[in-house]
Amino acid sequence: MKKSEKGIKAFRIPQETWYYGRLPEKPCIVIGIYHKEGSTDGEFKIVWDDIGIQLRAYNDSWGVLKQMPELIELMEGVGMLEEGPTVREFAELLKKIGFTDLTERSRKEEERNLRSKALLLLDMPENCTECPLECGIADEKKGLILNANICRGCGERNFQSDKKPDWCPLVTLPEKKKEYRKMRCENGVHLKTIGFNKGFNACIEEIIKEREKKWGN
């Protein structure tokens, strides 16, 4: 881990993060100096466009770029190559000169537990193609990859979008339970009560009613 006087020299690959919810216009790597609490002294982009690899740095990041002579040297070497590296290959070169990969490819378990939970009520799709949580995947050279997607619900990738994967985060809404009208007892122990199933069914009804109130049937 290579540190500057003010923080850590590191990079992120936006299109590989679990929370990336749209197709990138152009593949890129974001580079900067970062602190443990999440702040940054400044950052800039290395972008892969139709012509080649381009540095995009606004004036507030020039001071940070100045602190990275090893990166400038790396870029000079890459510029002399007949064919430039891909995003993934360039990321590996960055790690070799001491930069840290901060790309969040999966959500941290503690963040999952701290966040409040929510319900999204929809007709269960048969595969990823029919799912509103589906987002396509693009390759830096080939463009949109057919029959492949990223799930906005959990960040996983599926390369068979026409099939429903085992890790699908969608859970089927439970069916209502039969309500027992009489309490059954056996040796003084209550086996089934009308109150339990009534409460369960009322919860299911409230979920459906709230959805219909907002979106209709």
Side-chain angles (χ1 to χ4, degrees):
M1 183 179 290
K2 190 159 187 172
K3 295 184 178 180
S4 75
E5 294 180 0
K6 295 183 179 180
I8 300 171
K9 296 180 181 180
F11 66 91
R12 294 178 294 106
I13 306 176
Q15 56 271 22
E16 291 188 9
T17 56
W18 69 266
Y19 51 81
Y20 202 71
R22 62 179 178 82
L23 287 173
E25 292 184 2
K26 299 295 179 183
C28 68
I29 294 180
V30 179
I31 302 173
I33 294 180
Y34 303 92
H35 298 275
K36 288 183 179 179
E37 67 274 14
S39 61
T40 176
D41 292 338
E43 55 186 12
F44 51 89
K45 290 182 179 180
I46 305 292
V47 181
W48 277 251
D49 62 20
D50 298 332
I51 299 175
I53 305 174
Q54 183 183 79
L55 170 66
R56 294 184 185 176
Y58 290 103
N59 59 322
D60 60 353
S61 68
W62 293 352
V64 171
L65 185 59
K66 183 181 178 181
Q67 299 178 52
M68 301 178 177
E70 67 273 57
L71 174 61
I72 301 299
E73 185 178 346
L74 172 63
M75 292 167 63
E76 182 182 5
V78 167
M80 297 173 67
L81 297 176
E82 194 169 311
E83 184 176 350
T86 63
V87 171
R88 173 49 45 198
E89 290 169 343
F90 194 88
E92 291 301 317
L93 293 174
L94 286 173
K95 288 194 281 188
K96 286 182 180 179
I97 61 173
F99 284 68
T100 303
D101 186 353
L102 296 181
T103 307
E104 296 180 62
R105 294 179 175 83
S106 60
R107 189 186 300 185
K108 296 177 182 178
E109 190 61 33
E110 55 268 28
E111 291 181 353
R112 292 174 185 263
N113 296 333
L114 286 173
R115 292 191 179 208
S116 58
K117 307 306 178 187
L119 289 173
L120 174 63
L121 198 62
L122 46 79
D123 293 331
M124 181 65 78
E126 294 183 2
N127 50 53
C128 290
T129 304
E130 299 176 0
C131 183
L133 299 179
E134 177 267 351
C135 177
I137 299 177
D139 180 83
E140 61 250 36
K141 290 186 177 181
K142 298 179 181 179
L144 185 66
I145 301 175
L146 298 179
N147 203 30
N149 71 280
I150 297 175
C151 176
R152 290 190 180 99
C154 64
E156 293 287 346
R157 288 168 167 76
N158 180 19
F159 291 93
Q160 289 183 300
S161 295
D162 55 348
K163 295 181 180 180
K164 187 177 180 180
D166 294 336
W167 47 257
C168 175
L170 298 181
V171 178
T172 303
L173 188 70
E175 297 288 340
K176 290 183 180 180
K177 294 185 178 182
K178 181 180 178 181
E179 293 183 9
Y180 290 85
R181 298 189 177 278
K182 293 181 180 180
M183 186 180 295
R184 292 171 51 208
C185 296
E186 204 172 279
N187 299 326
V189 178
H190 299 313
L191 299 181
K192 292 286 185 181
T193 67
I194 187 172
F196 174 79
N197 285 349
K198 268 195 170 181
F200 181 90
N201 291 342
C203 181
I204 299 298
E205 289 173 359
E206 190 63 29
I207 292 172
I208 296 173
K209 184 167 59 176
E210 190 65 27
R211 189 262 190 188
E212 291 176 347
K213 187 191 301 182
K214 291 182 178 180
W215 301 101
N217 296 325

